[in-house]
Amino acid sequence: MDSRIPESSAASADGPVRPENGSAAADRRIQESSAVNVENQDHKTFAGTDAEKIKIENENLKVVKADVSALDEVAAVCKGADAVISAFNPGWNNPDIYDETIKVYLTIIDGVKKAGVNRFLMVGGAGSLFIAPGLRLMDSGEVPENILPGVKALGEFYLNFLKKEKEIDWVFFSPAADMRPGVRTGRYRLGKDDMIVDIVGNSHISVEDYAAAMIDELEHPQHHQERFTIGY
């Protein structure tokens, strides 16, 4: 499985798409792809600090700018929602990415609770997936050092905080190791804690298929207080 994490797309080891595109662009692609998937349904999608960069318009999409590090703002923007999907990432080049990721996600969880929303879906990372018995990707030495803090932040938030959360119905959706823009094929596999690889050992998924699977989980919940993952 030596091709699991291509250097050009290493950020997708525990965060969306490629590091040179920046986390905001990555999160925006997931948000936009999700919005496309719900454009004919009765949903409202709320984007956070990069709300002005969401260009898709349709009658079922409402874009709101909010500071996701502020508890009251999170609660206000989530109030009345059936569910919340979060793709927060403070930026792969942020020197405080580890601390900020954990701190802000704890705030988001508290805000969701304060808003009275029971269902929380999180765009997770692949770093906490097992690539061999007892060996997680983030502990394997295969993740480049420059993104390892962000990879570990998402992985350790899931392992040390989210797994202990009992008050809300959460889901941590781990992408494949390599996630980038592509096409929506509708043909993929889902799993739990082990990284999904293809016949030659590659772990990959398109943003479009990931977003479609996320919306499927939103519409037809199959996972409750657990992680699941995706790959071809």
Side-chain angles (χ1 to χ4, degrees):
M1 294 190 289
D2 56 349
S3 56
R4 186 181 300 111
I5 315 175
E7 285 295 325
S8 64
S9 58
S12 52
D14 212 344
V17 201
R18 291 171 286 184
E20 63 265 30
N21 290 332
S23 65
D27 295 342
R28 192 162 62 253
R29 287 195 185 94
I30 291 177
Q31 291 164 343
E32 289 177 345
S33 294
S34 297
V36 168
N37 284 318
V38 302
E39 65 181 355
N40 295 318
Q41 303 174 48
D42 187 19
H43 288 294
K44 293 182 180 179
T45 299
F46 298 89
T49 53
D50 286 331
E52 69 279 358
K53 296 180 181 179
I54 302 294
K55 302 303 182 183
I56 293 175
E57 295 183 4
N58 68 70
E59 63 182 8
N60 294 320
L61 177 64
K62 179 180 180 181
V63 179
V64 178
K65 186 177 180 66
D67 180 358
V68 294
S69 67
L71 175 61
D72 289 342
E73 287 196 41
V74 174
V77 80
C78 293
K79 191 73 173 176
D82 295 321
V84 173
I85 300 176
S86 178
F88 170 73
N89 186 310
W92 289 101
N93 295 320
N94 185 333
D96 298 319
I97 186 172
Y98 181 90
D99 291 336
E100 286 190 23
T101 296
I102 292 176
K103 180 180 179 181
V104 172
Y105 260 115
L106 288 172
T107 300
I108 292 172
I109 293 289
D110 286 343
V112 170
K113 291 179 183 178
K114 186 174 181 179
V117 179
N118 183 57
R119 183 70 166 160
F120 176 73
L121 301 95
M122 177 172 170
V123 175
S128 56
L129 291 169
F130 288 107
I131 61 172
L135 180 62
R136 300 184 191 275
L137 176 60
M138 63 185 182
D139 300 322
S140 68
E142 296 189 28
V143 180
E145 287 294 325
N146 65 312
I147 63 166
L148 188 57
V151 170
K152 284 196 168 183
L154 278 176
E156 292 181 5
F157 175 78
Y158 162 68
L159 294 170
N160 299 331
F161 296 97
L162 198 56
K163 286 186 72 174
K164 299 176 182 178
E165 174 57 51
K166 304 301 182 185
E167 294 183 39
I168 59 174
D169 184 14
W170 58 265
V171 169
F172 185 91
F173 187 17
S174 291
D178 183 11
M179 180 166 66
R180 64 183 68 203
V183 297
R184 179 177 175 179
T185 69
R187 300 188 299 274
Y188 48 78
R189 293 177 290 153
L190 300 178
K192 290 292 184 70
D193 293 318
D194 296 324
M195 181 175 288
I196 296 174
V197 298
D198 62 19
I199 194 170
V200 295
N202 292 321
S203 175
H204 55 112
I205 194 70
S206 71
V207 169
E208 290 79 2
D209 275 338
Y210 178 93
M214 176 69 89
I215 297 304
D216 283 345
E217 178 65 24
L218 172 69
E219 291 293 322
H220 308 286
Q222 300 295 315
H223 302 89
H224 303 277
Q225 296 187 336
E226 63 179 344
R227 179 252 296 286
F228 73 111
T229 188
I230 190 171
Y232 293 129

